[in-house]
């Protein structure tokens, strides 16, 4: 049942070290075309992609992201933007009431469109022998990111995507068991504890191997620790300020 597409999907792993070789213009255009081919809610195409080529902007995005070197050192860096600004302009030019763009429903549409497009690009890149890494941490200082990218109202930087030629071959990180992720007909609140316990051990073994014994954390321990990480409370004020999801 496997084919080349399925093999590409199942072999995914995030790449955090890239060779210095840049992507060609042909590769960039092809990746963007693949992103555009993704599904879009009601054909609104409520996303934009910013290709960050300016070394200084990349350097500053790296700092915002917690000094992750692969934000700056990659073949190309894309930022996916939930974009209602384009549709706002169209509505204004045609005398339409654009207040619907302030709603949470339209924000979720734009976020979905951006995510669908990004995943299309990610799969396309990996099928071309390239590696990828999503960078959600461009939201750590979302006002600064918006300023750097000259984002207007009605837009929201969802995440970055570092793409390039891999300079590492990391072990594939194990995913949750089928029994813990798939529900039939209704949500089953009581999960499969045996499968989850086995998965915990598998994740602990993965971290032990990956870090040379310096880390033995299980998945449930990682999730528990993550609950104490301070949330990005600046996101809601940013959304309100820029006319996104206010109603």
């Amino acid at each position: 049942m496997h084919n080349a597409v399925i093999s590409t999907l199942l072999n995914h792993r995030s790449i955090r070290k890239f060779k210095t070789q840049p992507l060609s213009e042909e590769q960039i255009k092809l990746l963007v075309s693949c992103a555009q081919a993704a599904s879009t809610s009601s054909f609104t195409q409520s996303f934009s992609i910013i290709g960050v080529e300016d070394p200084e902007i990349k350097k500053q995005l790296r700092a915002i992201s917690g000094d992750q070197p692969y934000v700056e050192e990659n073949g190309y860096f894309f930022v996916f933007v939930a974009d209602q600004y384009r549709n706002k302009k169209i509505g204004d030019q045609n005398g339409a009431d654009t207040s619907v763009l302030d709603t949470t429903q339209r924000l979720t549409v734009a976020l979905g469109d951006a995510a669908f497009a990004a995943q299309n690009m990610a799969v396309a890149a990996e099928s071309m022998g390239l590696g990828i890494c999503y960078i959600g941490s461009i939201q750590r200082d979302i006002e600064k990111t918006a300023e750097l990218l000259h984002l207007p109202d009605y837009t929201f930087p969802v995440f970055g995507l570092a793409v390039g030629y891999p300079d590492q071959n990391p072990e594939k990180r194990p995913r949750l068991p089928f029994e813990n992720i798939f529900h039939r007909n209704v949500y089953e609140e009581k999960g499969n504890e045996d499968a989850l316990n086995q998965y915990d051990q598998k994740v602990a073994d993965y971290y032990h191997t990956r870090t040379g014994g310096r880390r033995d954390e299980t998945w449930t321990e990682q999730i528990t620790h993550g609950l104490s990480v301070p949330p990005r409370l600046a996101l809601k004020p940013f959304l309100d300020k820029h006319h996104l999801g206010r109603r």
Side-chain angles (χ1 to χ4, degrees):
M1 294 176 64
H2 280 205
N3 56 36
V5 175
I6 291 174
S7 294
T8 296
L9 290 167
L10 293 178
N11 286 320
H12 164 73
R13 69 279 322 272
S14 294
I15 299 299
R16 294 178 173 84
K17 185 178 181 183
F18 297 94
K19 296 178 180 178
T20 57
Q21 182 178 353
L23 299 193
S24 67
E25 190 65 23
E26 181 181 9
Q27 287 173 311
I28 294 166
K29 289 181 177 179
L30 180 58
L31 289 172
V32 172
S33 294
C34 289
Q36 288 188 267
S39 296
T40 168
S41 180
S42 300
F43 200 40
T44 60
Q45 303 179 76
S46 301
F47 72 96
S48 286
I49 304 170
I50 298 176
V52 183
E53 301 176 351
D54 187 317
E56 181 57 31
I57 296 177
K58 290 181 78 173
K59 181 179 179 180
Q60 293 192 57
L61 288 174
R62 171 179 174 170
I64 289 170
S65 299
D67 196 30
Q68 299 179 87
Y70 39 93
V71 174
E72 184 179 8
E73 301 163 4
N74 47 59
Y76 204 79
F77 194 71
F78 301 90
V79 174
F80 283 80
V81 178
D83 184 0
Q84 296 283 15
Y85 175 72
R86 181 169 48 241
N87 294 340
K88 165 72 171 169
K89 284 196 348 182
I90 292 170
D92 287 345
Q93 290 166 1
N94 289 279
D97 178 2
T98 61
S99 60
V100 68
L101 298 178
D102 287 23
T103 62
T104 301
Q105 186 266 333
R106 283 301 185 99
L107 173 61
T108 61
V109 164
L111 291 171
D113 277 6
F116 302 152
Q119 189 60 13
N120 252 34
M121 180 183 285
V123 174
E126 291 182 335
S127 77
M128 295 160 60
L130 301 169
I132 68 98
C133 188
Y134 279 99
I135 310 293
S137 51
I138 64 169
Q139 294 182 2
R140 290 180 73 223
D141 187 345
I142 194 164
E143 289 285 1
K144 180 64 174 177
T145 295
E147 178 186 334
L148 282 172
L149 302 178
H150 294 186
L151 296 182
D153 286 345
Y154 297 94
T155 64
F156 178 74
V158 186
F159 37 62
L161 189 68
V163 182
Y165 292 90
D167 198 21
Q168 62 175 188
N169 186 26
E171 183 181 351
K172 182 181 174 183
R173 186 176 296 186
R175 296 304 201 248
L176 277 165
F178 178 89
E179 297 85 352
N180 292 105
I181 207 76
F182 182 73
H183 307 253
R184 293 189 188 275
N185 298 315
V186 297
Y187 192 94
E188 300 164 15
E189 292 188 39
K190 184 178 180 181
N192 188 314
E193 291 299 321
D194 288 340
L196 188 59
N197 290 336
Q198 293 173 23
Y199 177 67
D200 262 346
Q201 186 57 54
K202 184 181 293 187
V203 171
D205 292 344
Y206 162 81
Y207 281 131
H208 184 87
T209 300
R210 173 175 153 177
T211 65
R214 295 188 304 277
R215 182 180 180 187
D216 295 285
E217 188 177 37
T218 67
W219 184 75
T220 54
E221 287 173 342
Q222 181 176 337
I223 294 301
T224 302
H225 295 160
L227 296 175
S228 64
V229 175
R232 294 171 185 161
L233 297 177
L235 296 188
K236 184 62 169 68
F238 179 91
L239 292 171
D240 288 342
K241 176 182 175 181
H242 295 280
H243 304 276
L244 293 163
R246 299 198 296 186
R247 293 187 288 119

